[in-house]
Amino acid sequence: MPYDLIVIGSGPGGYVCAIRAAQLGMKTAVVEKWATFGGTCLNIGCIPSKAMLNASELYEEAAHKFADMGIKVGTPAIDLAAMLKYKQGAVDGNVKGVDYLFKKNKIETFHGTGRIAAPGKVEVKNADGKAQLLETKNIVIATGSDATRLNGIDFDEKRIVSSTGALELPAVPKKLLIVGAGIIGLELGSVWRRLGADVTIVEFLDHILPGIDSEVAKQFHRILQKQGIAVWLSSKVAGVDSSGKVLKVKVEPAAGGAAETLEADVVLVAIGRVPYTEGLGLEALGVKKDNRGRILVDPHFRTSVQGVYAIGDVIAGPMLAHKAEDEGVAVAEIIAGQAGHVNYDVIPNVVYTYPEIASVGKT
């Protein structure tokens, strides 16, 4: 029996799309290459980072604000292993929730790497290399995004980390250097600064938070400095020497000029994310992309190949979980013959620092 819809990827866009399709009476399957569902957001992104932001903020309140309010607790101590366990508990709860919803909505799941072999055919290869071919009327690509790499600087996720490694550090680094003053860099910088790290952020542009209202960003830059985070603007990281015990980071002015060397125990590269479409077989299929590697779709999320749709981080627009979710619902309704729609003028955007920054609609 062929499926009505196969969704590749089970992140916020993919799992919401699959559930909505099943509710609309479609025989639906999901292909996921990771052992757990939920994608970047639930496993290694939004959910674990919010758990750490919450825990670190409470720790800072107990350490610095309780006494002013007349609450005596003594000096709080950090048990980082327990804090990471608390974070993992938040992740597990969400991931199990997605698993439950798939079963409840009778969605079939396949663990393995998905590749579109031809229109209407999805090949799933499991960890052992065994492949099976699934047939379907429609395919939705919801494979999300991956951390952008800096040329010549490779992640080992121990000392040179992406956001994934930055949420798993076994000890609070003495010195943390962050490349990029976007949302991820500022949120994770806030976490480790509260827990005791000396945090320096290096940003290529002449302002923090690209894409956020400039007046708000300017005010927030001052607040960050008061909190003890050093920010180097109009600067770029030209290289990281990891041969010694301490990382030596070469920082140059963005416009060119003499380089300086900063020392760090951990370097977090948070310069954005890129669409993840590797191994899907899109080139052979003839699916068109733009110059930034994003899949081109029409207003109904249709790609250049009949019966193949795409949503979320692999297409244009803000790389936000709730934007992907809205697109997931819309594309499922469109495939079912209904009028699915996303209002792109009212997508909220939040930076979970202290204070939080939020915007919605036109800035």
Side-chain angles (χ1 to χ4, degrees), residues 12-326:
Y15 84 74
V16 170
C17 173
I19 291 166
R20 186 69 187 121
Q23 288 169 347
L24 293 168
M26 287 186 245
K27 187 174 175 347
T28 308
V30 170
V31 176
E32 174 53 64
K33 68 172 183 178
W34 288 356
T36 53
F37 301 118
T40 295
C41 178
L42 270 63
N43 288 278
I44 56 171
C46 336
I47 300 300
S49 65
K50 301 310 163 276
M52 291 298 282
L53 280 156
N54 184 40
S56 63
E57 192 174 320
L58 291 174
Y59 167 75
E60 182 158 81
E61 284 193 356
H64 303 292
K65 295 179 185 174
F66 277 14
D68 295 344
M69 298 181 214
I71 305 168
K72 290 185 177 175
V73 291
T75 308
I78 295 167
D79 180 345
L80 189 57
M83 196 180 279
L84 293 174
K85 197 176 170 187
Y86 156 77
K87 174 208 72 172
Q88 196 54 44
V91 170
D92 293 345
N94 277 276
V95 166
K96 282 173 187 154
V98 175
D99 199 12
Y100 165 76
L101 287 170
F102 281 165
K103 289 183 177 120
K104 184 187 167 198
N105 289 283
K106 298 180 172 58
I107 294 162
E108 290 186 42
T109 56
F110 296 89
H111 280 285
T113 307
R115 182 179 71 88
I116 305 169
K121 287 183 170 52
V122 176
E123 180 194 73
V124 183
K125 198 175 272 188
N126 66 18
D128 306 335
K130 286 183 186 154
Q132 58 180 322
L133 201 61
L134 311 175
E135 289 199 20
T136 180
K137 292 172 190 165
N138 301 285
I139 297 165
V140 169
I141 299 166
T143 45
S145 58
D146 192 15
T148 306
R149 270 111 177 114
L150 254 183
N151 279 346
I153 299 170
D154 295 323
F155 296 131
D156 59 16
E157 297 300 6
K158 297 277 188 288
R159 296 203 296 164
I160 301 174
V161 300
S162 67
S163 56
T164 308
L167 287 161
E168 294 284 341
L169 296 177
V172 179
K174 282 194 181 73
K175 288 186 176 179
L176 170 65
L177 186 136
I178 299 171
V179 189
I183 295 175
I184 296 171
L186 296 192
E187 287 184 354
L188 293 175
S190 295
V191 166
W192 292 108
R193 198 274 307 159
R194 290 170 194 158
L195 298 180
D198 180 355
V199 177
T200 301
I201 298 176
V202 177
E203 170 56 51
F204 186 79
L205 299 173
D206 63 357
H207 58 278
I208 66 167
L209 291 173
I212 299 273
D213 181 87
S214 59
E215 204 175 337
V216 172
K218 213 174 279 177
Q219 293 295 340
F220 187 60
H221 186 173
R222 289 179 192 150
I223 294 169
L224 275 185
Q225 286 175 313
K226 276 184 188 161
Q227 289 176 1
I229 292 178
V231 184
W232 291 39
L233 296 175
S234 304
S235 303
K236 65 178 179 188
V237 169
V240 179
D241 177 0
S242 58
S243 58
K245 267 192 171 177
V246 175
L247 298 170
K248 290 191 164 44
V249 186
K250 191 175 163 193
V251 181
E252 297 174 350
E260 288 187 54
T261 302
L262 301 182
E263 291 191 342
D265 300 294
V266 174
V267 171
L268 161 60
V269 178
I271 54 169
R273 296 183 68 81
V274 286
Y276 189 83
T277 56
E278 203 179 302
L280 281 172
L282 302 187
E283 287 73 20
L285 205 62
V287 171
K288 290 184 178 150
K289 296 184 196 173
D290 67 11
N291 59 356
R292 288 168 66 181
R294 301 175 299 193
I295 296 172
L296 289 167
V297 291
D298 72 3
H300 294 116
F301 307 102
R302 290 182 294 223
T303 69
S304 52
V305 174
Q306 179 81 25
V308 180
Y309 301 77
I311 58 166
D313 288 4
V314 291
I315 67 171
M319 289 182 168
L320 297 168
H322 46 279
K323 175 256 198 190
E325 288 180 351
D326 248 30

